[in-house]
Amino acid sequence: MNYAMNLIENLKKHPNGIKLFLVLFYAVGVTAIYMPFSANLFISLTPLALIMSFGLLMIFHEKFDFKTIGIFTLIFVAGYFVEVLGVNTGLIFGNYKYGETLGIKLLETPLIMGLNWILMIYLTASVVEKYQIPVLLKILISSTIMVGYDLVLEQVAPQMDMWNWQNSSIPMQNYLAWFGIAVIFHGLLKISKTKTKNELSVTILICQILFFVALLYK
């Protein structure tokens, strides 16, 4: 336990080093996926990359308390079961099925999707938080960034076997649902006054967006 705490404290002292590591990590990932002999291996590491990014992000989170843990848990559970309902009924996002890349599934839905909702809500809230603008505008801008992120992600997800849409057609319903759910979750963060200031947020969000943008041309 002491070793882990010391490691975390040492990492906190080197935010620029962590940012450089993240940039190199995602750059290596893109390069490896472009290589036929390593593509499948690195695509299969997608869940681990998400977990690592989230873990590093949380190391630089300013304040952990029961309220924060509770909000994160709520977003994880709610986000996951929205995905469960969506993939099993087609009523929320449209008709799609998850592939094998995102790992262990329960109810036809990868467990990592709950974590992904926390990660994306936190990142988009964090990058907007520093601006002195009305709370409602922060919620709308953060949610719009999430839709922009999804616009790119949806083009790459099938080739990485993350998920596939029926007839390879992405319905507008998907983006409207993403925006609506994002507004609810961002509103929850604001109502609960959960802190999202974080030194790594901009770096991780940009790395993820550029990662998927780069793969558009594969």
Side-chain angles (χ1 to χ4, degrees):
M1 178 64 73
N2 288 336
Y3 175 78
M5 293 303 296
N6 288 335
L7 177 61
I8 289 173
E9 290 304 316
N10 286 330
L11 289 174
K12 284 183 176 180
K13 295 175 183 177
H14 304 285
N16 291 331
I18 300 299
K19 291 175 185 178
L20 177 60
F21 166 77
L22 285 164
V23 171
L24 293 175
F25 176 84
Y26 279 94
V28 168
V30 168
T31 303
I33 291 173
Y34 266 88
M35 303 294 182
F37 62 87
S38 57
N40 289 339
L41 172 61
F42 276 77
I43 287 173
S44 71
L45 296 176
T46 299
L48 293 179
L50 288 173
I51 292 170
M52 183 205 71
S53 297
F54 182 75
L56 289 174
L57 188 70
M58 290 299 99
I59 287 175
F60 286 85
H61 180 71
E62 285 195 345
K63 182 183 178 182
F64 269 109
D65 51 26
F66 287 114
K67 179 186 71 174
T68 301
I69 294 172
I71 293 297
F72 285 177
T73 301
L74 179 58
I75 292 175
F76 179 99
V77 173
Y80 177 74
F81 280 103
V82 162
E83 297 285 349
V84 169
L85 183 62
V87 79
N88 284 284
T89 68
L91 295 176
I92 299 177
F93 304 103
N95 295 307
Y96 66 106
K97 294 294 180 185
Y98 283 105
E100 301 304 317
T101 294
L102 295 176
I104 299 171
K105 298 178 189 176
L106 179 64
L107 302 175
E108 302 299 321
T109 306
L111 293 173
I112 198 74
M113 290 307 297
L115 184 69
N116 192 59
W117 271 105
I118 302 175
L119 179 63
M120 293 312 303
I121 292 293
Y122 186 100
L123 288 175
T124 51
S126 183
V127 298
V128 174
E129 184 59 34
K130 61 183 177 181
Y131 297 104
Q132 300 301 313
I133 55 178
V135 170
L136 179 58
L137 193 55
K138 287 182 179 180
I139 291 172
L140 295 176
I141 293 174
S142 299
S143 301
T144 301
I145 293 173
M146 282 193 62
V147 174
Y149 174 92
D150 191 48
L151 280 167
V152 177
L153 174 59
E154 294 293 353
Q155 311 309 311
V156 178
Q159 75 185 55
M160 293 182 67
D161 195 30
M162 296 169 74
W163 56 80
N164 292 277
W165 291 94
Q166 187 178 60
N167 301 321
S168 300
S169 177
I170 307 167
M172 181 59 67
Q173 171 187 351
N174 170 66
Y175 301 113
L176 294 175
W178 254 73
F179 182 79
I181 295 165
V183 166
I184 292 171
F185 286 161
H186 279 298
L188 182 62
L189 285 183
K190 296 305 179 187
I191 290 171
S192 64
K193 298 182 179 179
T194 301
K195 302 295 183 183
T196 56
K197 184 179 179 181
N198 196 300
E199 285 195 65
L200 298 188
S201 292
V202 172
T203 301
I204 293 176
L205 184 60
I206 290 176
C207 281
Q208 288 212 354
I209 292 173
L210 292 180
F211 175 85
F212 291 117
V213 167
L215 292 178
L216 286 173
Y217 302 97
K218 183 177 183 298

